[in-house]
Short mmCIF file of all heavy atoms in Angstrom, two decimals:
data_model
loop_
_atom_site.label_atom_id
_atom_site.label_comp_id
_atom_site.label_asym_id
_atom_site.label_seq_id
_atom_site.Cartn_x
_atom_site.Cartn_y
_atom_site.Cartn_z
N VAL G 274 -9.58 31.44 -16.12
CA VAL G 274 -8.50 31.82 -17.06
C VAL G 274 -7.13 31.42 -16.53
O VAL G 274 -6.25 31.01 -17.29
CB VAL G 274 -8.56 33.34 -17.34
CG1 VAL G 274 -7.32 33.83 -18.06
CG2 VAL G 274 -9.80 33.68 -18.14
N ASN G 275 -6.94 31.49 -15.22
CA ASN G 275 -5.65 31.17 -14.62
C ASN G 275 -5.57 29.73 -14.12
O ASN G 275 -4.61 29.36 -13.45
CB ASN G 275 -5.35 32.14 -13.48
CG ASN G 275 -5.09 33.53 -13.99
OD1 ASN G 275 -4.12 33.77 -14.68
ND2 ASN G 275 -5.99 34.45 -13.70
N ASN G 276 -6.60 28.92 -14.44
CA ASN G 276 -6.63 27.51 -14.06
C ASN G 276 -6.44 27.34 -12.55
O ASN G 276 -5.66 26.51 -12.10
CB ASN G 276 -5.59 26.71 -14.85
CG ASN G 276 -5.90 25.23 -14.81
OD1 ASN G 276 -7.05 24.83 -14.75
ND2 ASN G 276 -4.86 24.42 -14.85
N MET G 277 -7.17 28.14 -11.78
CA MET G 277 -7.08 28.11 -10.32
C MET G 277 -8.31 27.42 -9.74
O MET G 277 -9.36 27.35 -10.39
CB MET G 277 -7.02 29.53 -9.76
CG MET G 277 -5.83 30.31 -10.18
SD MET G 277 -6.00 32.00 -9.60
CE MET G 277 -4.31 32.48 -9.49
N VAL G 278 -8.19 26.94 -8.54
CA VAL G 278 -9.33 26.38 -7.81
C VAL G 278 -9.98 27.51 -7.04
O VAL G 278 -9.32 28.24 -6.30
CB VAL G 278 -8.88 25.25 -6.84
CG1 VAL G 278 -10.05 24.75 -6.03
CG2 VAL G 278 -8.22 24.13 -7.61
N MET G 279 -11.28 27.67 -7.21
CA MET G 279 -12.04 28.70 -6.51
C MET G 279 -12.49 28.14 -5.17
O MET G 279 -13.25 27.17 -5.12
CB MET G 279 -13.24 29.08 -7.37
CG MET G 279 -14.17 30.06 -6.77
SD MET G 279 -13.47 31.68 -6.89
CE MET G 279 -14.54 32.53 -5.76
N VAL G 280 -12.01 28.73 -4.08
CA VAL G 280 -12.38 28.30 -2.74
C VAL G 280 -13.43 29.27 -2.22
O VAL G 280 -13.17 30.46 -2.08
CB VAL G 280 -11.16 28.28 -1.80
CG1 VAL G 280 -11.58 27.89 -0.39
CG2 VAL G 280 -10.11 27.32 -2.33
N THR G 281 -14.63 28.75 -1.99
CA THR G 281 -15.74 29.59 -1.55
C THR G 281 -16.77 28.77 -0.80
O THR G 281 -16.91 27.57 -1.05
CB THR G 281 -16.42 30.29 -2.75
OG1 THR G 281 -17.49 31.10 -2.28
CG2 THR G 281 -16.94 29.30 -3.76
N GLU G 282 -17.46 29.40 0.11
CA GLU G 282 -18.57 28.75 0.78
C GLU G 282 -19.84 28.91 -0.06
O GLU G 282 -20.80 28.15 0.07
CB GLU G 282 -18.79 29.39 2.16
CG GLU G 282 -19.84 28.70 2.99
CD GLU G 282 -20.01 29.32 4.35
OE1 GLU G 282 -19.43 30.38 4.64
OE2 GLU G 282 -20.75 28.73 5.15
N ASN G 283 -19.85 29.86 -0.96
CA ASN G 283 -21.00 30.18 -1.80
C ASN G 283 -20.94 29.45 -3.13
O ASN G 283 -20.83 30.07 -4.19
CB ASN G 283 -21.04 31.69 -2.04
CG ASN G 283 -22.25 32.33 -1.47
OD1 ASN G 283 -23.24 31.68 -1.21
ND2 ASN G 283 -22.17 33.63 -1.27
N LEU G 284 -21.01 28.15 -3.12
CA LEU G 284 -20.90 27.36 -4.34
C LEU G 284 -21.99 27.68 -5.35
O LEU G 284 -21.75 27.63 -6.55
CB LEU G 284 -20.92 25.86 -3.99
CG LEU G 284 -19.78 25.37 -3.10
CD1 LEU G 284 -19.98 23.90 -2.77
CD2 LEU G 284 -18.44 25.60 -3.75
N LYS G 285 -23.18 28.03 -4.87
CA LYS G 285 -24.30 28.28 -5.79
C LYS G 285 -24.06 29.49 -6.69
O LYS G 285 -24.60 29.56 -7.78
CB LYS G 285 -25.60 28.43 -5.03
CG LYS G 285 -25.68 29.65 -4.14
CD LYS G 285 -27.00 29.72 -3.41
CE LYS G 285 -27.01 30.95 -2.51
NZ LYS G 285 -28.27 31.11 -1.84
N HIS G 286 -23.23 30.43 -6.26
CA HIS G 286 -22.96 31.60 -7.08
C HIS G 286 -22.09 31.27 -8.30
O HIS G 286 -22.07 32.03 -9.26
CB HIS G 286 -22.25 32.68 -6.27
CG HIS G 286 -23.15 33.39 -5.32
ND1 HIS G 286 -22.78 34.57 -4.71
CD2 HIS G 286 -24.39 33.12 -4.86
CE1 HIS G 286 -23.75 34.98 -3.93
NE2 HIS G 286 -24.75 34.11 -4.00
N PHE G 287 -21.38 30.15 -8.25
CA PHE G 287 -20.42 29.83 -9.30
C PHE G 287 -20.72 28.52 -10.02
O PHE G 287 -19.99 28.13 -10.91
CB PHE G 287 -19.01 29.77 -8.71
CG PHE G 287 -18.58 31.06 -8.08
CD1 PHE G 287 -18.72 31.28 -6.73
CD2 PHE G 287 -18.05 32.09 -8.86
CE1 PHE G 287 -18.33 32.49 -6.15
CE2 PHE G 287 -17.68 33.29 -8.30
CZ PHE G 287 -17.81 33.49 -6.93
N LYS G 288 -21.81 27.84 -9.67
CA LYS G 288 -22.09 26.51 -10.21
C LYS G 288 -22.35 26.51 -11.72
O LYS G 288 -22.15 25.51 -12.37
CB LYS G 288 -23.24 25.85 -9.47
CG LYS G 288 -24.58 26.50 -9.70
CD LYS G 288 -25.67 25.78 -8.95
CE LYS G 288 -26.99 26.51 -9.20
NZ LYS G 288 -28.06 25.96 -8.43
N ASN G 289 -22.79 27.63 -12.28
CA ASN G 289 -23.10 27.69 -13.70
C ASN G 289 -21.91 28.09 -14.57
O ASN G 289 -22.05 28.19 -15.78
CB ASN G 289 -24.26 28.67 -13.95
CG ASN G 289 -25.55 28.16 -13.37
OD1 ASN G 289 -25.79 26.95 -13.35
ND2 ASN G 289 -26.37 29.05 -12.87
N PHE G 290 -20.75 28.33 -13.97
CA PHE G 290 -19.55 28.66 -14.74
C PHE G 290 -19.00 27.39 -15.37
O PHE G 290 -18.82 26.38 -14.69
CB PHE G 290 -18.47 29.27 -13.84
CG PHE G 290 -18.68 30.72 -13.51
CD1 PHE G 290 -19.64 31.11 -12.60
CD2 PHE G 290 -17.91 31.69 -14.10
CE1 PHE G 290 -19.83 32.44 -12.28
CE2 PHE G 290 -18.09 33.03 -13.80
CZ PHE G 290 -19.06 33.40 -12.88
N THR G 291 -18.70 27.44 -16.65
CA THR G 291 -18.13 26.29 -17.34
C THR G 291 -16.62 26.28 -17.11
O THR G 291 -15.95 27.29 -17.32
CB THR G 291 -18.41 26.38 -18.86
OG1 THR G 291 -19.82 26.44 -19.04
CG2 THR G 291 -17.83 25.20 -19.59
N GLY G 292 -16.10 25.15 -16.64
CA GLY G 292 -14.66 24.99 -16.49
C GLY G 292 -14.10 25.45 -15.16
O GLY G 292 -12.88 25.46 -14.98
N ILE G 293 -14.94 25.85 -14.23
CA ILE G 293 -14.43 26.31 -12.93
C ILE G 293 -14.31 25.12 -11.97
O ILE G 293 -15.13 24.21 -11.98
CB ILE G 293 -15.33 27.41 -12.34
CG1 ILE G 293 -14.61 28.14 -11.21
CG2 ILE G 293 -16.66 26.87 -11.89
CD1 ILE G 293 -15.24 29.46 -10.81
#
Side-chain angles (χ1 to χ4, degrees):
V274 168
N275 291 294
N276 198 31
M277 298 174 154
V278 176
M279 176 77 194
V280 177
T281 180
E282 186 178 8
N283 244 339
L284 298 177
K285 66 181 179 177
H286 285 194
F287 300 96
K288 68 179 179 185
N289 293 326
F290 281 75
T291 302
I293 196 165

